[in-house]
Amino acid sequence: MLIRFTVENFLSFNQRIDFNMIASDDNHNTHHVVKGDSEDSIRLLRTSIIYGANASGKSNVIKAMKFARDFIVDGDENKKNINTNNFKLDKDCYTKPSRFEFEFKTNDKQYAYGFLVDKHKIHEEWLFEIGVNLEIPIYERMGQDFDFHNFHHEFLSNLSEDTKNRIRYEAENTRGSLLFLTSSSKERDIKDFKSLEPIYEWFNDVLKIIFPSSKALLPLFSQSVQNSLSRFLISLDLGITKITTNTIDLDDYNEIPSEIKDEIRKDFPYEEGDENAIFIPALKCIISQAKDGTDKLIVLNLSPVRLDKENSEVKFEISEESDGTQRLIDLFPMLIHLSRGNVVYVIDEIERSLHSLLMKKLFDYFLNNSENSNSNSQLIATTHEVYLLDIKDIFRKDEIWFVEKDKYGQSLLYSLANTDVENLDLAAGYLNGRFGAIPFIKDLTSLGWREGKSNG
């Protein structure tokens, strides 16, 4: 689970901003909080939502997470300049490195991992185990100097001396533009050097960041997911009675270009079980392995079914459905993934093509579905949808964040948990500027517009 994310000197963030999922003492909607094993354990929220005007910087929070996550997982693949993007409205920032840090919980322990980077090299990198009154260094890096603190941490303490020496050697020879966490995850030839895998895997497998243009949300689809999707769409009263699939061999499916078919074959995860399938929202279909025991791939087209006036079933193409219905179908596998636990979804502009009532239904499904009650997953999203600001029905105060720019053009991030707001119509308060984070529109006459008849 994500505990905290901080970023400094990146895009519209000049000063360090802190976004966290730490629950306050608020006793509202306590089922939104995941409690630890003891009274001293940190209490984390299952969801948060970030508001802000266009160009305020709310999407930049997600872009900062995405940059850091991708740099950790993939490294500097082109081995050229690192694609950092400093704050440009302060010349002092041009020569300063950007800072990123994640605090997160995995395998019942908490860690802080972060780094300082500019377009050419890593300035600092660190990994600590953290907790209440606990801060144990695992390793620290200053330029090309590494300190493993005598390999005292349990991650490293049981390694042989030969392996420790090899780790020292690999660390010292890590490229200046590559993170050691990334480098170590790729050194499969080092015997027993899998100590840092749980850290790397949290970024690679747990943290999922989705933008409106993202092509796939979840690399899993099964008959059980299809049945759940049917029930979900029926509950929304969209007129859909169920979802069926039409099957065709991938080789014979002309809607997918041959080059994409080649990519699908290359990347397809051949695993055991009925979930060996990939849902591709952009193509409105599922790619699955055939049930005949071969490596042949098949395409399953999703078809919503409606009833005509004679109560007979009529199949539709997904492309015939509204943008909102298509968006719900795209997002639903994410809800299934969230219900299984141990995943963090961060979504930019989650309201894209969705009516406000459908947005409420989506969050309600995640937060209040009994199947999700034991889930440790989290859903974080940015949105413009002000009608979600109904604190009594949906969110706690500590789940609501705002982003706005100050007079110097830098984005500031703050939580409603730090306000004294109680029993207020939040949507009205937001639109009236009570919390900032809304666009300021000047008098239109200052733009040269006049009332009266146009010339067109």
Side-chain angles (χ1 to χ4, degrees):
M1 299 185 74
L2 178 67
I3 300 173
R4 187 190 313 273
F5 173 69
T6 61
V7 60
E8 179 181 350
N9 189 23
F10 187 78
L11 294 174
S12 60
F13 299 109
N14 180 6
Q15 301 173 350
R16 188 179 307 179
I17 60 102
D18 176 330
F19 171 80
N20 70 75
M21 298 291 287
I22 300 172
S24 67
D25 294 332
D26 188 354
N27 58 9
H28 181 256
N29 281 340
T30 56
H31 64 288
H32 293 195
V33 177
V34 176
K35 300 178 181 179
D37 299 328
S38 68
E39 291 296 325
D40 293 331
S41 297
I42 194 167
R43 300 166 66 249
L44 297 176
L45 297 166
R46 298 176 61 206
T47 192
S48 277
I49 195 156
I50 304 171
Y51 282 88
N54 288 328
S56 64
K58 64 182 183 300
S59 291
N60 287 345
V61 179
I62 314 303
K63 289 177 181 178
M65 286 189 190
K66 184 72 162 58
F67 168 82
R69 184 260 178 203
D70 289 351
F71 189 57
I72 293 166
V73 172
D74 301 322
D76 58 336
E77 291 186 334
N78 60 13
K79 299 181 183 179
K80 296 180 181 179
N81 286 348
I82 301 167
N83 191 28
T84 57
N85 198 334
N86 300 67
F87 182 73
K88 294 181 179 179
L89 298 180
D90 184 344
K91 291 181 180 178
D92 291 340
C93 292
Y94 292 6
T95 56
K96 287 171 51 179
S98 300
R99 183 187 190 279
F100 306 86
E101 184 176 45
F102 294 87
E103 294 179 15
F104 57 96
K105 184 175 182 179
T106 186
N107 297 334
D108 297 321
K109 292 194 175 183
Q110 298 164 200
Y111 301 96
Y113 174 77
F115 56 93
L116 270 65
V117 62
D118 63 20
K119 292 186 180 297
H120 307 289
K121 65 180 181 179
I122 311 297
H123 289 254
E124 297 181 31
E125 182 184 358
W126 59 90
L127 175 62
F128 284 74
E129 183 180 342
I130 59 174
V132 178
N133 300 319
L134 177 68
E135 189 175 280
I136 304 174
I138 300 174
Y139 74 86
E140 294 180 89
R141 171 186 185 178
M142 296 289 292
Q144 290 303 105
D145 296 328
F146 286 81
D147 185 355
F148 291 95
H149 297 274
N150 296 316
F151 293 86
H152 283 162
H153 191 270
E154 62 183 40
F155 269 174
L156 307 172
S157 61
N158 293 324
L159 300 177
S160 68
E161 284 303 315
D162 286 344
T163 300
K164 291 177 182 178
N165 288 333
R166 183 67 185 276
I167 290 173
R168 292 188 185 97
Y169 174 82
E170 292 295 336
E172 292 169 359
N173 287 277
T174 298
R175 285 198 315 275
S177 59
L178 187 65
L179 295 167
F180 178 68
L181 179 61
T182 311
S183 174
S184 66
S185 71
K186 300 181 185 302
E187 293 295 339
R188 301 303 182 189
D189 60 321
I190 300 180
K191 184 180 180 182
D192 296 327
F193 189 36
K194 296 185 177 181
S195 304
L196 301 180
E197 277 191 349
I199 307 301
Y200 178 84
E201 288 173 354
W202 188 86
F203 293 101
N204 189 50
D205 301 331
V206 176
L207 184 59
K208 309 289 185 182
I209 301 176
I210 306 296
F211 288 93
S213 59
S214 298
K215 292 184 178 180
L217 300 180
L218 178 63
L220 295 175
F221 204 91
S222 66
Q223 186 63 49
S224 61
V225 173
Q226 180 180 327
N227 294 339
S228 297
L229 174 58
S230 294
R231 292 193 296 270
F232 179 66
L233 294 177
I234 291 170
S235 72
L236 299 179
D237 197 25
L238 300 173
I240 296 173
T241 60
K242 64 180 178 182
I243 294 286
T244 63
T245 54
N246 300 316
T247 302
I248 185 173
D249 287 352
L250 179 61
D251 293 335
D252 300 329
Y253 192 66
N254 297 325
E255 301 299 319
I256 300 178
S258 58
E259 60 271 17
I260 296 181
K261 289 180 181 179
D262 292 340
E263 289 295 318
I264 291 172
R265 293 187 186 96
K266 182 179 70 174
D267 297 336
F268 197 81
Y270 295 102
E271 300 174 357
E272 298 295 327
D274 67 344
E275 293 181 348
N276 186 14
I278 300 175
F279 176 46
I280 307 179
L283 301 175
K284 305 305 178 190
C285 65
I286 304 162
I287 310 298
S288 177
Q289 189 171 353
K291 301 294 185 181
D292 57 8
T294 68
D295 289 344
K296 183 171 65 174
L297 298 182
I298 58 176
V299 177
L300 295 89
N301 275 327
L302 294 174
S303 297
V305 175
R306 298 174 182 271
L307 299 180
D308 63 16
K309 62 181 181 180
E310 280 83 27
N311 226 29
S312 298
E313 292 186 347
V314 179
K315 290 184 179 180
F316 286 78
E317 299 292 331
I318 286 187
S319 59
E320 297 178 280
E321 297 293 336
S322 69
D323 290 343
T325 300
Q326 292 185 47
R327 178 71 167 154
L328 284 171
I329 293 172
D330 289 352
L331 290 172
F332 186 74
M334 174 199 71
L335 294 177
I336 296 296
H337 204 187
L338 286 165
S339 70
R340 296 173 181 174
N342 194 32
V343 67
V344 180
Y345 270 94
V346 184
I347 303 183
D348 189 34
E349 296 186 19
I350 195 171
E351 81 282 359
R352 179 71 63 91
S353 300
L354 288 181
H355 187 278
S356 57
L357 294 178
L358 295 181
M359 281 286 294
K360 285 188 177 184
K361 185 69 176 180
L362 188 148
F363 277 96
D364 180 69
Y365 187 94
F366 171 60
L367 291 169
N368 300 318
N369 191 327
S370 60
E371 296 178 1
N372 301 340
S373 58
N374 295 320
S375 169
N376 289 333
S377 294
Q378 293 169 305
L379 175 58
I380 301 163
T382 69
T383 185
H384 297 96
E385 184 50 76
V386 298
Y387 295 105
L388 291 176
L389 284 175
D390 184 349
I391 199 169
K392 296 178 181 177
D393 293 337
I394 305 179
F395 297 114
R396 296 160 47 102
K397 283 173 55 177
D398 49 9
E399 294 171 324
I400 299 172
W401 291 75
F402 298 107
V403 179
E404 65 175 343
K405 283 186 177 177
D406 67 9
K407 63 181 180 180
Y408 302 110
Q410 61 184 356
S411 295
L412 307 176
L413 177 69
Y414 52 95
S415 170
L416 194 63
N418 299 323
T419 70
D420 58 359
V421 175
E422 295 291 346
N423 300 320
L424 176 70
D425 184 338
L426 289 177
Y430 173 72
L431 291 174
N432 289 330
R434 173 76 181 270
F435 314 114
I438 62 172
F440 175 71
I441 303 174
K442 295 182 179 180
D443 185 347
L444 294 182
T445 58
S446 68
L447 302 179
W449 292 16
R450 302 185 201 175
E451 293 184 355
K453 187 175 180 179
S454 68
N455 295 324

